Amino acid sequence: MINMFFERGKAIKEKSVIRIAFTMNLLLFALILSLWTVESFAESPIIQKKIGSIEGTVIDQGTYQPLPGVNVIIVNTTMGAAADLNGKFIIKNIPVGMYQVKASMIGYQPEVKTAIVVSTNRVTMVNFELSQTVLDVEGIVVTAGYFEKDTEKPISSRTLTPREIRASPGSVEDIFRVIQFMPGVSIANERNSSLIVRGGTPDENRTLLENIEIYNPLHFGRPGADIGGISIVNPTLLERVDFVSGGFPVKYGDKMSSVVEMQLKEGNRTNFNTDINLNMAGFGLLLDGPIPGNGTMLFAVRRGIFDLLMSMLNEEGVPAYWDMVGKATYNLGDKHQLSPVGFYYKDDLRMPADPEDEEELEREYDLRRNDYGSAIGLNWRYLFSKHGYMLTTAALVSNGWKSWRGTESEPEVIGDEIKENEFHLKSELTYKLSDLLELKSGLFWKSIDSYHHIWSNEQITETGITMEEYNIIYNPPVTFKAGSFLQTTLRPFTLLAINAGLRYDYFELTEESKVSPRFGLSYSVTDKTNINAAYGYYYQTPAAYQVAIELVNASLRSSRAIHYIAGIEHLFRSDTKISVEVYQKDLENVFVDSDTSRVIIDTGSGYARGIEFCIQKKMSKNLVGSFAYTYSISKRQDADSLPEYYFGFDRPHIFRLVSSYRLFNKWQIGAKFQYGSGSPYTPVVGAVQKDGEWYVVNGAYNSARYPAYHKLDIRIDRSFDFRNWTLTAYLDVWNVYNRENIFAYYNDVDDNGVIIKTSSGGFPMFPILGVTAQF
């Protein structure tokens, strides 16, 4: 695990990282070479033919009803099947390889799933949700859909498949590192996986797993901080990931920037499968298959191995983590489906003081961190009518973080301990009144039990400001959030779809009620061109970690963002889409931290505006990729009487190019390049002596910029097919031309008043090997 585990941007010793990574890569390379030899024998004519199957279900996207009679075919072959009365299909005796699978039916938009891998003696699950076609205008032709279109999210939305996540260069098969490469997402510190979306902060993004809110989706993440190493969810588990960078509908609330929604795949209905993967992110095991009671199960566990390997070299300051995720699905007749789901993760970090570190805290104090998170929930889907369904979710969610700094004699000089336990209950109903009108409504309730303990000795900042000693315990009575929403999707005529929604939120702690209107539309100019737009109010309540540090912060009012988005998208070909979007995000009641106290005020304001251009090509044959360019400006103002300044993550120009090409059915090579303007920082302009000590003098806030950021990553995959199992090996090379990207400057003043400036940056050129075995 090489990409995280730092406080205030401080990484673990890179020489030790590179040393142990080299050892691990060497062992994996020897394994791959031996498997290459074994595969040569396995391809002998005397070995049985390598085949697999594709199985799945086809349902109506709007009502979740099964669609019998849907024609499911493997593109460019003669193989296929028709869905039965329950919407299920199976295609057998498919030679191993990668395919496109298409589902089509009169009255519905055809859909194509790309990069479907068939493995030896294995059933690959492929599920379809088809949307009804209402385009009956002369000249409008319905073509197979490589790009899914959700009328609830007409703009700023994109869907990722597990194959796209796992094959992305430079991502270590991490969900959020792949999302970081999408339009609207700024380049953050490459040592972490936080999302900076359209001028927002990392805690403005809503993350859901199977309709359950995840407070912290990253290992070693932290409330309110832009740190976190890797997703707590292994991408092998996923059916799909939906990312919306703005203009999201009223069912999503209490966040101002974006939504990440992860849907787990269902377990195999026919046989048991086992996946084993090993890379620098850790060792993972996945099991799925049928269970008694007409059900399926899916379970995965993953353990970081970096601490184990580093301990072999007697290295200190090493992170340890593990996570597990599980899901079961039971179909109780034709109308009811129950799906229990849960996850758990645990992180641990011990970092001894480093006398040579740039930061005083790192030089003087050891660091220790213990984090955990868990959730256990139940989803109940009830198909009460051929035209509607209800989804009810109940979940217990628990999170805890503890970190402390100190010495051997006084181990807890500075620290915090946070525990948050919540119970979530929500229910939403979807009903299709006609082909032209659909209603969606919902109720939600959340109880919140918080405990925060923070403490510190007296500290003096680098500019000479004294922060007094404090010891604060915040343990308020259990509070709650509640509310409701109503949304209509209307097609007044066949070329136009309009979404109109209203959301109501109440937060007992601040005694605040908020109403959020939101609108979206999509107009089909032709069968290939759509004009899309969205507008809405988005509120975010103060979090417990903000209130806890000073009780007066309980008077904070919710921050507000107003989204204005418009765009046009055009299908250049069925597998290639070009889109342009412009957006404006106006911010009010933004929380502002103080440099001299723990008091937070809500007098801030600001805006983010930009234009995004993107070309995206799906893997219809052997090539997949995208090109994106974003120009944006993001500014903040702490009060009406104070000057504007550039937001800390503002990067006016961001250019990204990613592509992957499949060679000879077993090889795949990909590359990813990104360039971004330097982000702002506050320069040091001098030094001053106070009481015999030297301190720095800062210039205007965020008035300078770091050097431009750019980096190239490449990845090569090779699959090996054996009689009863398949193995995929990959080489992922980060920062191919060894660019030194700067993310922070540190300034110290020596005894003569001379400023000593050092920097911290991204990783150097770094090769990573990984393997995944499927049984």
Side-chain angles (χ1 to χ4, degrees):
M1 193 64 206
I2 64 171
N3 57 345
M4 54 179 178
F5 317 125
F6 55 92
E7 289 281 309
R8 297 185 180 179
K10 176 69 176 72
I12 63 179
K13 299 177 181 178
E14 289 185 359
K15 289 184 179 179
S16 300
V17 172
I18 295 172
R19 181 181 171 194
I20 195 63
F22 176 79
T23 303
M24 179 179 175
N25 285 339
L26 190 63
L27 293 173
L28 286 173
F29 182 67
L31 171 64
I32 293 168
L33 281 180
S34 63
L35 289 170
W36 212 321
T37 304
V38 173
E39 187 199 34
S40 299
F41 173 75
E43 290 181 344
S44 167
I46 64 173
I47 302 298
Q48 66 182 31
K49 188 177 181 180
K50 301 166 192 173
I51 59 173
S53 303
I54 293 177
E55 183 179 343
T57 304
V58 188
I59 62 173
D60 183 296
Q61 185 187 62
T63 65
Y64 272 81
Q65 293 290 331
L67 293 178
V70 171
N71 190 30
V72 182
I73 64 169
I74 299 177
V75 179
N76 296 324
T77 75
T78 59
M79 294 178 287
D84 63 17
L85 291 177
N86 296 313
K88 297 179 181 179
F89 68 91
I90 183 168
I91 307 172
K92 299 180 178 179
N93 299 320
I94 308 169
V96 297
M98 184 181 292
Y99 298 95
Q100 303 170 61
V101 183
K102 174 183 173 182
S104 60
M105 183 180 186
I106 295 175
Y108 285 84
Q109 175 73 38
E111 184 178 348
V112 177
K113 301 279 190 178
T114 62
I116 303 300
V117 177
V118 175
S119 303
T120 306
N121 291 339
R122 190 180 176 102
V123 177
T124 300
M125 301 299 296
V126 180
N127 297 314
F128 292 91
E129 295 180 11
L130 302 186
S131 57
Q132 282 192 310
T133 301
V134 295
L135 297 180
D136 56 3
V137 177
E138 184 178 354
I140 299 294
V141 179
V142 178
T143 57
Y146 287 90
F147 299 93
E148 297 184 34
K149 184 72 174 178
D150 188 342
T151 55
E152 285 189 9
K153 309 178 188 100
I155 200 166
S156 304
S157 177
R158 184 169 172 183
T159 298
L160 286 171
T161 66
R163 181 73 185 179
E164 290 173 319
I165 295 168
R166 298 178 66 182
S168 176
S171 67
V172 201
E173 302 189 352
D174 177 59
I175 301 160
F176 292 92
R177 287 186 176 274
V178 177
I179 294 175
Q180 283 180 334
F181 208 71
M182 293 185 177
V185 184
S186 181
I187 299 170
N189 188 318
E190 69 183 39
R191 296 178 184 272
N192 71 75
S193 301
S194 299
L195 299 182
I196 312 298
V197 183
R198 289 182 175 173
T201 60
D203 65 346
E204 292 179 10
N205 309 303
R206 169 67 68 214
T207 303
L208 299 104
L209 176 67
E210 288 288 307
N211 210 33
I212 297 173
E213 295 176 8
I214 301 180
Y215 188 76
N216 172 45
L218 302 174
H219 283 289
F220 293 90
R222 201 68 173 167
D226 60 324
I227 61 175
I230 194 168
S231 169
I232 63 174
V233 179
N234 189 327
T236 311
L237 292 160
L238 295 170
E239 174 78 16
R240 59 186 286 161
V241 177
D242 294 315
F243 173 64
V244 191
S245 57
F248 41 92
V250 291
K251 66 179 290 185
Y252 307 106
D254 208 17
K255 293 296 179 181
M256 297 195 301
S257 286
S258 75
V259 173
V260 178
E261 191 163 14
M262 295 180 281
Q263 181 181 329
L264 300 176
K265 64 183 182 181
E266 291 188 10
N268 199 290
R269 297 193 297 261
T270 306
N271 55 10
F272 283 95
N273 293 323
T274 303
D275 286 25
I276 298 174
N277 54 73
L278 175 65
N279 57 31
M280 293 300 294
F283 172 80
L285 172 68
L286 181 145
L287 303 171
D288 74 299
I291 54 177
N294 192 28
T296 64
M297 59 79 65
L298 176 73
F299 176 78
V301 62
R302 182 174 56 172
R303 203 247 192 246
I305 61 172
F306 208 62
D307 61 312
L308 302 177
L309 298 172
M310 292 285 275
S311 64
M312 295 168 58
L313 299 178
N314 296 317
E315 294 285 352
E316 297 182 284
V318 193
Y321 81 92
W322 68 283
D323 56 55
M324 60 181 180
V325 180
K327 173 186 175 181
T329 303
Y330 293 94
N331 291 313
L332 307 178
D334 297 333
K335 296 185 177 181
H336 299 272
Q337 184 185 80
L338 291 179
S339 182
V341 62
F343 71 84
Y344 178 81
Y345 74 87
K346 182 173 176 59
D347 303 329
D348 182 75
L349 174 63
R350 303 166 185 257
M351 185 180 292
D354 183 355
E356 298 180 358
D357 197 276
E358 298 92 346
E359 295 191 56
E360 184 178 354
L361 286 177
E362 309 282 358
R363 291 195 297 266
E364 295 185 0
Y365 298 129
D366 300 333
L367 168 67
R368 179 74 187 272
R369 282 187 61 176
N370 289 130
D371 305 338
Y372 71 87
S374 67
I376 182 167
L378 179 67
N379 285 307
W380 168 41
R381 191 182 305 276
Y382 171 39
L383 307 182
F384 61 85
S385 163
K386 290 184 178 181
H387 304 289
Y389 68 94
M390 181 177 67
L391 175 63
T392 301
T393 303
L396 290 168
V397 181
S398 180
N399 294 280
W401 301 268
K402 183 177 181 181
S403 64
W404 60 101
R405 292 182 180 273
T407 62
E408 186 175 347
S409 59
E410 193 177 0
E412 297 190 5
V413 176
I414 305 170
D416 60 4
E417 183 177 10
I418 303 171
K419 297 179 182 179
E420 297 195 353
N421 300 301
E422 300 180 349
F423 175 70
H424 301 178
L425 181 63
K426 56 184 176 181
S427 184
E428 61 183 62
L429 182 147
T430 301
Y431 192 78
K432 196 168 187 178
L433 293 171
S434 70
D435 291 341
L436 303 180
L437 180 61
E438 180 181 293
L439 296 179
K440 184 183 290 286
S441 62
L443 301 170
F444 52 89
W445 183 82
K446 177 196 299 185
S447 67
I448 306 169
D449 184 10
S450 300
Y451 172 85
H452 290 239
H453 181 199
I454 57 175
W455 65 93
S456 175
N457 61 357
E458 182 180 277
Q459 296 287 319
I460 301 178
T461 69
E462 63 176 7
T463 58
I465 298 174
T466 299
M467 304 294 289
E468 296 181 354
E469 177 181 0
Y470 59 87
N471 190 325
I472 299 173
I473 295 177
Y474 175 73
N475 187 207
V478 176
T479 186
F480 71 89
K481 296 179 180 180
S484 60
F485 67 85
L486 175 66
Q487 177 175 300
T488 64
T489 300
L490 174 66
R491 291 186 178 273
F493 54 94
T494 54
L495 299 179
L496 179 65
I498 299 174
N499 296 314
L502 200 63
R503 179 183 177 92
Y504 170 77
D505 289 90
Y506 175 75
F507 187 19
E508 183 194 35
L509 179 67
T510 59
E511 298 181 343
E512 211 178 357
S513 296
K514 294 296 181 182
V515 176
S516 307
R518 300 177 194 174
F519 303 91
L521 66 85
S522 181
Y523 177 72
S524 299
V525 180
T526 70
D527 60 315
K528 299 181 182 297
T529 305
N530 283 354
I531 295 175
N532 308 305
Y535 163 83
Y537 279 54
Y538 299 84
Y539 291 95
Q540 185 162 330
T541 56
Y545 74 86
Q546 294 168 318
V547 176
I549 58 177
E550 192 66 65
L551 295 184
V552 69
N553 294 344
S555 62
L556 289 169
R557 301 293 90 185
S558 295
S559 299
R560 186 185 75 181
I562 305 178
H563 293 195
Y564 308 85
I565 312 169
I568 185 170
E569 59 184 15
H570 176 73
L571 283 179
F572 183 74
R573 300 191 319 186
S574 61
D575 63 350
T576 305
K577 182 171 71 172
I578 301 173
S579 62
V580 179
E581 291 187 8
V582 293
Y583 68 88
Q584 171 88 17
K585 182 192 291 186
D586 292 333
L587 304 171
E588 294 185 6
N589 296 340
V590 176
F591 301 148
V592 179
D593 297 323
S594 170
D595 292 331
T596 59
S597 73
R598 296 180 301 278
V599 175
I600 300 174
I601 56 178
D602 55 17
T603 59
S605 60
Y607 65 86
R609 63 174 66 114
I611 181 169
E612 300 165 358
F613 172 79
C614 181
I615 302 174
Q616 183 185 1
K617 184 188 182 304
K618 291 287 189 177
M619 184 175 276
S620 58
K621 292 185 179 179
N622 295 317
L623 179 67
V624 62
S626 66
F627 163 82
Y629 168 74
T630 299
Y631 174 75
S632 63
I633 297 175
S634 180
K635 288 190 173 184
R636 296 289 175 90
Q637 188 176 17
D638 291 345
D640 291 342
S641 59
L642 298 177
E644 282 188 340
Y645 58 87
Y646 285 104
F647 180 54
F649 295 101
D650 177 69
R651 294 182 186 267
H653 301 277
I654 297 178
F655 165 89
R656 292 175 169 125
L657 177 65
V658 60
S659 183
S660 185
Y661 188 77
R662 188 165 180 82
L663 299 165
F664 316 123
N665 201 38
K666 292 188 177 182
W667 289 89
Q668 185 163 322
I669 182 169
K672 179 172 72 175
F673 175 78
Q674 57 182 330
Y675 170 91
S677 306
S679 58
Y681 74 95
T682 303
V684 169
V685 296
V688 64
Q689 195 172 33
K690 301 177 183 178
D691 300 325
E693 296 289 336
W694 285 97
Y695 301 97
V696 300
V697 176
N698 287 332
Y701 188 73
N702 280 357
S703 59
R705 288 187 180 270
Y706 293 111
Y709 173 96
H710 52 89
K711 183 167 71 83
L712 173 67
D713 306 318
I714 63 171
R715 174 172 168 136
I716 301 173
D717 291 70
R718 171 62 156 87
S719 61
F720 301 84
D721 297 308
F722 301 100
R723 178 181 297 182
N724 294 311
W725 64 292
T726 300
L727 181 135
T728 300
Y730 69 84
L731 169 66
D732 202 349
V733 184
W734 289 8
N735 198 5
V736 173
Y737 54 85
N738 203 32
R739 163 72 176 179
E740 184 180 358
N741 290 302
I742 305 299
F743 288 106
Y745 289 128
Y746 302 96
N747 296 275
D748 204 355
V749 186
D750 66 14
D751 294 337
N752 298 316
V754 177
I755 299 173
I756 302 171
K757 184 176 181 179
T758 57
S759 64
S760 176
F763 284 104
M765 192 276 288
F766 199 91
I768 300 171
L769 279 171
V771 294
T772 298
Q774 296 179 320
F775 300 90

